[in-house]
Short mmCIF file of all heavy atoms in Angstrom, two decimals:
data_model
loop_
_atom_site.label_atom_id
_atom_site.label_comp_id
_atom_site.label_asym_id
_atom_site.label_seq_id
_atom_site.Cartn_x
_atom_site.Cartn_y
_atom_site.Cartn_z
N PHE A 205 18.90 2.01 0.13
CA PHE A 205 19.38 1.22 -1.00
C PHE A 205 20.55 1.92 -1.68
O PHE A 205 21.60 1.33 -1.93
CB PHE A 205 18.24 0.98 -1.99
CG PHE A 205 18.60 -0.01 -3.07
CD1 PHE A 205 18.32 -1.35 -2.91
CD2 PHE A 205 19.22 0.41 -4.22
CE1 PHE A 205 18.67 -2.27 -3.88
CE2 PHE A 205 19.58 -0.51 -5.21
CZ PHE A 205 19.30 -1.84 -5.03
N LEU A 206 20.36 3.22 -1.95
CA LEU A 206 21.43 3.96 -2.63
C LEU A 206 22.69 4.01 -1.77
O LEU A 206 23.80 3.88 -2.27
CB LEU A 206 20.96 5.38 -2.95
CG LEU A 206 19.92 5.50 -4.05
CD1 LEU A 206 19.48 6.94 -4.21
CD2 LEU A 206 20.47 4.96 -5.36
N TYR A 207 22.50 4.20 -0.48
CA TYR A 207 23.66 4.26 0.41
C TYR A 207 24.46 2.96 0.31
O TYR A 207 25.67 2.96 0.12
CB TYR A 207 23.20 4.49 1.85
CG TYR A 207 24.35 4.57 2.81
CD1 TYR A 207 24.98 5.79 3.05
CD2 TYR A 207 24.82 3.44 3.47
CE1 TYR A 207 26.05 5.87 3.91
CE2 TYR A 207 25.89 3.51 4.32
CZ TYR A 207 26.50 4.73 4.55
OH TYR A 207 27.57 4.79 5.39
N SER A 208 23.76 1.86 0.43
CA SER A 208 24.44 0.57 0.39
C SER A 208 25.05 0.33 -1.00
O SER A 208 26.17 -0.15 -1.12
CB SER A 208 23.45 -0.54 0.75
OG SER A 208 24.02 -1.79 0.51
N TRP A 209 24.30 0.67 -2.01
CA TRP A 209 24.73 0.44 -3.39
C TRP A 209 26.02 1.20 -3.70
O TRP A 209 26.84 0.78 -4.50
CB TRP A 209 23.60 0.88 -4.32
CG TRP A 209 23.74 0.56 -5.77
CD1 TRP A 209 24.05 1.44 -6.75
CD2 TRP A 209 23.56 -0.70 -6.41
NE1 TRP A 209 24.07 0.81 -7.96
CE2 TRP A 209 23.77 -0.52 -7.78
CE3 TRP A 209 23.24 -1.98 -5.96
CZ2 TRP A 209 23.67 -1.54 -8.72
CZ3 TRP A 209 23.14 -3.00 -6.88
CH2 TRP A 209 23.36 -2.78 -8.23
N ASN A 210 26.19 2.37 -3.07
CA ASN A 210 27.34 3.24 -3.34
C ASN A 210 28.48 3.08 -2.36
O ASN A 210 29.49 3.75 -2.46
CB ASN A 210 26.91 4.71 -3.33
CG ASN A 210 26.16 5.07 -4.58
OD1 ASN A 210 26.39 4.47 -5.63
ND2 ASN A 210 25.27 6.03 -4.49
N LEU A 211 28.32 2.25 -1.36
CA LEU A 211 29.32 2.12 -0.30
C LEU A 211 30.69 1.81 -0.91
O LEU A 211 30.82 0.91 -1.74
CB LEU A 211 28.88 0.99 0.63
CG LEU A 211 29.20 1.13 2.10
CD1 LEU A 211 28.69 2.45 2.64
CD2 LEU A 211 28.55 -0.01 2.86
N TYR A 212 31.71 2.56 -0.50
CA TYR A 212 33.01 2.43 -1.14
C TYR A 212 34.12 2.07 -0.15
O TYR A 212 34.82 1.08 -0.32
CB TYR A 212 33.33 3.74 -1.86
CG TYR A 212 34.65 3.74 -2.59
CD1 TYR A 212 34.92 2.79 -3.57
CD2 TYR A 212 35.62 4.69 -2.31
CE1 TYR A 212 36.12 2.80 -4.25
CE2 TYR A 212 36.83 4.70 -2.99
CZ TYR A 212 37.08 3.75 -3.95
OH TYR A 212 38.26 3.76 -4.62
N LEU A 213 34.26 2.90 0.89
CA LEU A 213 35.38 2.67 1.82
C LEU A 213 35.25 1.34 2.55
O LEU A 213 36.22 0.58 2.67
CB LEU A 213 35.43 3.83 2.83
CG LEU A 213 36.56 3.76 3.86
CD1 LEU A 213 37.90 4.01 3.19
CD2 LEU A 213 36.35 4.77 4.97
N GLU A 214 34.06 1.04 3.03
CA GLU A 214 33.86 -0.15 3.84
C GLU A 214 34.19 -1.44 3.10
O GLU A 214 34.91 -2.29 3.63
CB GLU A 214 32.45 -0.19 4.41
CG GLU A 214 32.20 0.81 5.53
CD GLU A 214 31.97 2.22 5.02
OE1 GLU A 214 32.02 2.43 3.79
OE2 GLU A 214 31.75 3.12 5.84
N PRO A 215 33.68 -1.63 1.88
CA PRO A 215 34.04 -2.87 1.18
C PRO A 215 35.55 -3.00 0.98
O PRO A 215 36.11 -4.08 1.12
CB PRO A 215 33.33 -2.74 -0.17
CG PRO A 215 32.31 -1.71 0.00
CD PRO A 215 32.72 -0.83 1.12
N ILE A 216 36.20 -1.88 0.68
CA ILE A 216 37.64 -1.93 0.47
C ILE A 216 38.33 -2.43 1.73
O ILE A 216 39.27 -3.22 1.68
CB ILE A 216 38.17 -0.54 0.09
CG1 ILE A 216 37.69 -0.18 -1.30
CG2 ILE A 216 39.68 -0.50 0.15
CD1 ILE A 216 38.16 1.18 -1.75
N VAL A 217 37.86 -1.96 2.87
CA VAL A 217 38.51 -2.34 4.12
C VAL A 217 38.15 -3.77 4.52
O VAL A 217 39.00 -4.54 4.95
CB VAL A 217 38.13 -1.34 5.22
CG1 VAL A 217 38.60 -1.83 6.58
CG2 VAL A 217 38.74 0.02 4.92
N PHE A 218 36.89 -4.13 4.34
CA PHE A 218 36.44 -5.40 4.91
C PHE A 218 36.60 -6.59 3.98
O PHE A 218 36.69 -7.73 4.44
CB PHE A 218 34.97 -5.31 5.33
CG PHE A 218 34.75 -4.54 6.59
CD1 PHE A 218 34.13 -3.31 6.58
CD2 PHE A 218 35.17 -5.05 7.81
CE1 PHE A 218 33.93 -2.60 7.75
CE2 PHE A 218 34.97 -4.37 8.99
CZ PHE A 218 34.35 -3.13 8.96
N LEU A 219 36.58 -6.37 2.67
CA LEU A 219 36.55 -7.50 1.75
C LEU A 219 37.88 -7.65 1.02
O LEU A 219 38.51 -6.66 0.65
CB LEU A 219 35.45 -7.32 0.70
CG LEU A 219 34.04 -7.16 1.25
CD1 LEU A 219 33.07 -7.00 0.11
CD2 LEU A 219 33.68 -8.36 2.10
N SER A 220 38.28 -8.89 0.81
CA SER A 220 39.52 -9.07 0.08
C SER A 220 39.45 -10.10 -1.04
O SER A 220 40.38 -10.18 -1.82
CB SER A 220 40.65 -9.38 1.05
OG SER A 220 40.25 -10.39 1.93
N SER A 221 38.40 -10.89 -1.13
CA SER A 221 38.38 -11.81 -2.27
C SER A 221 37.46 -11.29 -3.37
O SER A 221 36.33 -10.86 -3.08
CB SER A 221 37.92 -13.21 -1.89
OG SER A 221 37.82 -13.34 -0.52
N PRO A 222 37.91 -11.33 -4.61
CA PRO A 222 37.13 -10.74 -5.71
C PRO A 222 35.71 -11.29 -5.80
O PRO A 222 34.80 -10.55 -6.17
CB PRO A 222 37.93 -11.13 -6.95
CG PRO A 222 39.31 -11.26 -6.47
CD PRO A 222 39.22 -11.80 -5.06
N ASP A 223 35.49 -12.54 -5.45
CA ASP A 223 34.12 -13.03 -5.58
C ASP A 223 33.22 -12.53 -4.46
O ASP A 223 32.03 -12.79 -4.45
CB ASP A 223 34.10 -14.57 -5.67
CG ASP A 223 34.57 -15.20 -4.38
OD1 ASP A 223 35.33 -14.52 -3.65
OD2 ASP A 223 34.21 -16.34 -4.10
N LYS A 224 33.79 -11.78 -3.52
CA LYS A 224 32.94 -11.16 -2.48
C LYS A 224 32.79 -9.67 -2.70
O LYS A 224 32.05 -9.01 -1.98
CB LYS A 224 33.55 -11.42 -1.10
CG LYS A 224 33.60 -12.88 -0.72
CD LYS A 224 33.56 -13.06 0.78
CE LYS A 224 33.39 -14.51 1.17
NZ LYS A 224 34.64 -15.14 1.51
N PHE A 225 33.51 -9.13 -3.68
CA PHE A 225 33.50 -7.68 -3.89
C PHE A 225 32.11 -7.17 -4.20
O PHE A 225 31.25 -7.88 -4.69
CB PHE A 225 34.40 -7.32 -5.08
CG PHE A 225 35.86 -7.28 -4.74
CD1 PHE A 225 36.30 -7.59 -3.47
CD2 PHE A 225 36.79 -6.94 -5.71
CE1 PHE A 225 37.65 -7.56 -3.16
CE2 PHE A 225 38.14 -6.92 -5.41
CZ PHE A 225 38.57 -7.23 -4.15
N THR A 226 31.95 -5.88 -3.94
CA THR A 226 30.74 -5.19 -4.37
C THR A 226 31.08 -4.31 -5.57
O THR A 226 32.25 -4.12 -5.89
CB THR A 226 30.18 -4.31 -3.23
OG1 THR A 226 31.17 -3.35 -2.89
CG2 THR A 226 29.85 -5.15 -2.01
N LEU A 227 30.04 -3.73 -6.17
CA LEU A 227 30.26 -3.04 -7.45
C LEU A 227 31.21 -1.85 -7.41
O LEU A 227 32.12 -1.78 -8.24
CB LEU A 227 28.91 -2.63 -8.04
CG LEU A 227 28.11 -3.79 -8.63
CD1 LEU A 227 26.77 -3.30 -9.13
CD2 LEU A 227 28.88 -4.44 -9.76
N PRO A 228 31.03 -0.89 -6.48
CA PRO A 228 31.93 0.27 -6.53
C PRO A 228 33.39 -0.16 -6.38
O PRO A 228 34.28 0.39 -7.01
CB PRO A 228 31.49 1.11 -5.33
CG PRO A 228 30.11 0.69 -5.06
CD PRO A 228 30.04 -0.75 -5.43
N GLN A 229 33.60 -1.17 -5.55
CA GLN A 229 34.93 -1.70 -5.34
C GLN A 229 35.42 -2.35 -6.63
O GLN A 229 36.56 -2.15 -7.05
CB GLN A 229 34.83 -2.72 -4.23
CG GLN A 229 36.12 -3.23 -3.68
CD GLN A 229 35.83 -4.27 -2.61
OE1 GLN A 229 34.70 -4.76 -2.51
NE2 GLN A 229 36.83 -4.59 -1.84
N ALA A 230 34.56 -3.13 -7.27
CA ALA A 230 34.94 -3.82 -8.50
C ALA A 230 35.28 -2.82 -9.60
O ALA A 230 36.16 -3.06 -10.42
CB ALA A 230 33.81 -4.73 -8.96
#
Side-chain angles (χ1 to χ4, degrees):
Chain A
F205 189 91
L206 289 176
Y207 181 88
S208 171
W209 188 255
N210 284 332
L211 215 53
Y212 181 57
L213 181 70
E214 287 79 359
I216 290 179
V217 170
F218 284 110
L219 301 180
S220 48
S221 351
D223 65 336
K224 296 207 171 98
F225 281 1
T226 60
L227 286 177
Q229 190 182 14

